[in-house]
Amino acid sequence: MLMRRLAMAAALAFTAFGGTAALAQTGDPSFNLVNRSNRVIYEAYASPSSDSNWGQDRLGTNVVPAGRSFVIRLPQGECIYDVRVVYDRQGGPAEERRNINLCNLSELAFDGRQAQQGGQPPQAQQRPQGPAPGGAGPTGNPSFNLVNQGRQTVMQVFASPATDQNWGPDRLGADTVAPGAVYAIRLPEGPCMYDIRFVYDSGQPQERRNVNLCDVTNITVPLQ
C-alpha cells in the first residue's frame, strides 16, 4: 500500500511539473522586430531552431528603416527560434540570434554591431581558410540565399556535403521559389564543400559540384 501511494504521488508530481514545462515551450512566438542600427533591414528570417532552413523572408516587400520596427507574426506553437536579418541590400551584411525563446519576449532588437559583411554569420570569422587537419577541408557556415533570376519556378533544392553519396532531403520542403524571389537555404555549420542540385518546374535539373558555400552569400539560378 505504501509503495502504491508513493508511486501515485510521484506520478502526480511528474504530471504537474511536466505539464508546466510543456506549456512553457509553446505559445505565441510573434514579436516586434526593432532596428536600432544605422542601416536599413531589407530581409528578416525566423524559423524554429529545429528546422533545417530559414524559409521565406518575413518582411516580404517591406523594409525596416533605422530606428523603426516591424511586427513579425509567427504561428502559435514552438517558442525556440533562430532569427536572421540582412542589412542594406540583397546579400548585404547579416546578423543572427540563435535559440531565442520568442514566447518570453515582445520585441527583439538588432543594432548591427555583430553584422558580418557578405551575409556571413559571426561564427564564420573563426573558420579555417584552408583545409582542416586530416584533409577534411574548410569548415564554417554554408548557408546561402537562393536567388531565382530565371523564368522558371524552382521546385526542389538539394545540398549535401561533397563527401556524401546521396543528395539527402529537399531543402525547400513544401516551399517553392518563384522567378524573382529569394529563399534562404539554411545548412548546419560544418563542412563548406557542397554539391548542389536545383530542379525546375519543367523537370529540368541543374547541378554544381564542389562549391565552397562558406565563401558565397548568394547562389543565382539558372546556373551559368
Side-chain angles (χ1 to χ4, degrees):
M1 181 65 70
L2 178 59
M3 292 299 293
R4 183 178 178 183
R5 289 179 179 177
L6 289 173
M8 291 178 64
L12 289 172
F14 176 82
T15 300
F17 287 103
T20 302
L23 289 174
Q25 296 303 311
T26 60
D28 186 354
S30 300
F31 66 97
N32 195 33
L33 172 64
V34 181
N35 185 359
R36 291 182 181 162
S37 74
N38 58 1
R39 299 168 164 141
V40 175
I41 294 177
Y42 274 78
E43 301 170 38
Y45 302 91
S47 64
S49 297
S50 57
D51 283 2
S52 59
N53 58 62
W54 284 108
Q56 298 283 5
D57 176 12
R58 300 285 181 175
L59 296 183
T61 59
N62 299 291
V63 298
V64 187
R68 303 295 292 274
S69 63
F70 186 90
V71 176
I72 303 292
R73 301 205 176 274
L74 301 170
Q76 292 197 7
E78 292 189 51
C79 291
I80 307 302
Y81 269 71
D82 295 343
V83 182
R84 172 184 175 90
V85 299
V86 179
Y87 296 100
D88 295 342
R89 63 192 182 282
Q90 194 177 91
E95 189 173 6
E96 296 180 6
R97 299 282 191 275
R98 299 272 182 161
N99 296 308
I100 302 296
N101 189 334
L102 292 179
C103 298
N104 284 348
L105 51 83
S106 58
E107 68 177 36
L108 184 63
F110 287 83
D111 57 18
R113 295 179 184 177
Q114 296 180 359
Q116 299 299 304
Q117 188 63 43
Q120 294 293 344
Q123 297 88 335
Q125 293 181 342
Q126 305 301 322
R127 68 178 178 85
Q129 298 301 309
T139 59
N141 191 325
S143 300
F144 65 93
N145 291 327
L146 170 61
V147 183
N148 188 354
Q149 293 185 353
R151 297 181 178 179
Q152 299 187 70
T153 298
V154 178
M155 305 300 293
Q156 295 176 302
V157 175
F158 301 93
S160 62
T163 54
D164 285 4
Q165 299 299 311
N166 55 63
W167 284 110
D170 175 13
R171 301 290 179 174
L172 296 183
D175 297 327
T176 60
V177 186
V182 178
Y183 191 97
I185 303 293
R186 182 173 168 188
L187 300 171
E189 291 192 32
C192 293
M193 305 307 297
Y194 268 72
D195 295 340
I196 51 179
R197 175 183 175 91
F198 305 101
V199 181
Y200 302 99
D201 54 9
S202 65
Q204 176 187 4
Q206 269 195 309
E207 296 180 8
R208 184 174 292 173
R209 303 278 180 163
N210 293 310
V211 181
N212 188 336
L213 291 180
C214 298
D215 280 347
V216 301
T217 301
N218 296 333
I219 296 289
T220 300
V221 295
L223 301 174
Q224 302 299 318

